Amino acid sequence: MGLIKWEEKYSVGVDSMDNQHKKLVQMINDIFDELRGGGTHESLLKIIEGLVEYTQVHFKAEEAVFEKFGYAETEEHKKEHEKFIAQVADFQKGFEEGKIPMTMDIITFLKDWLFSHILGTDQKYSSFFKDNVIV
Ligand SMILES: [Fe+2]
Ligand SMILES: [Fe+2]
């Protein structure tokens, strides 16, 4: 069922990136469903690990295009990615050690970050990607 929905306004106009963003939305929904459905610490940890891993795959995919075609805002964009990865990794560690619980606040943070990054920072590369990426 899920908490959040992909909407056309989130499109960056490049299918491969939209599909990766949709998968991230799905993974946040999976955390929500697992939490609401009374998931165990272990099952939640597994989904969080998956999210961290896939987020890195996605960021690397964007950054590879930036570097290959010389995107002007590469550094600022990469900094946002790095900060988010560090924040999520901190949470993951705390959760794994039983120091930080999984709550709706965490899911809201993930959701808000993703949508504001897609609508703001990622949207800025839309025309650059459309000019340089085939799909
Ligand atoms: Fe992105
Ligand atoms: Fe990005």
Side-chain angles (χ1 to χ4, degrees):
M1 191 182 142
L3 170 74
I4 51 178
K5 248 180 86 179
W6 172 265
E7 288 173 48
E8 208 42 49
K9 67 176 178 187
Y10 300 123
S11 175
V12 292
V14 178
D15 284 350
S16 55
M17 291 301 136
D18 284 347
N19 288 336
Q20 292 182 8
H21 288 151
K22 284 176 189 171
K23 184 160 176 181
L24 290 169
V25 166
Q26 183 55 51
M27 293 178 102
I28 294 172
N29 278 331
D30 287 347
I31 298 176
F32 173 73
D33 287 342
E34 194 67 22
L35 182 67
R36 202 185 41 173
T40 63
H41 187 265
E42 199 184 332
S43 68
L44 282 163
L45 185 62
K46 219 172 166 183
I47 302 178
I48 296 159
E49 282 168 355
L51 176 70
V52 170
E53 205 174 297
Y54 191 71
T55 301
Q56 282 170 319
V57 168
H58 169 61
F59 288 172
K60 277 186 190 140
E62 286 185 351
E63 291 166 12
V65 178
F66 298 163
E67 267 147 41
K68 188 166 177 193
F69 299 102
Y71 179 55
E73 295 183 52
T74 300
E75 283 317 306
E76 299 92 299
H77 200 132
K78 276 173 88 170
K79 268 190 198 131
E80 280 194 34
H81 287 170
E82 279 157 22
K83 190 175 172 205
F84 181 68
I85 289 287
Q87 284 174 306
V88 180
D90 275 354
F91 169 72
Q92 183 189 347
K93 190 167 180 281
F95 182 74
E96 195 169 1
E97 291 169 352
K99 291 177 185 155
I100 312 173
M102 171 57 90
T103 60
M104 269 313 288
D105 282 356
I106 302 291
I107 296 173
T108 302
F109 164 75
L110 294 171
K111 169 189 84 120
D112 289 349
W113 188 91
L114 183 66
F115 284 152
S116 86
H117 184 79
I118 292 174
L119 285 171
T121 311
D122 283 354
Q123 282 296 339
K124 288 191 201 165
Y125 69 51
S126 182
S127 61
F128 176 82
F129 269 43
K130 278 192 235 170
D131 290 344
N132 291 298
V133 183
I134 309 298
V135 284

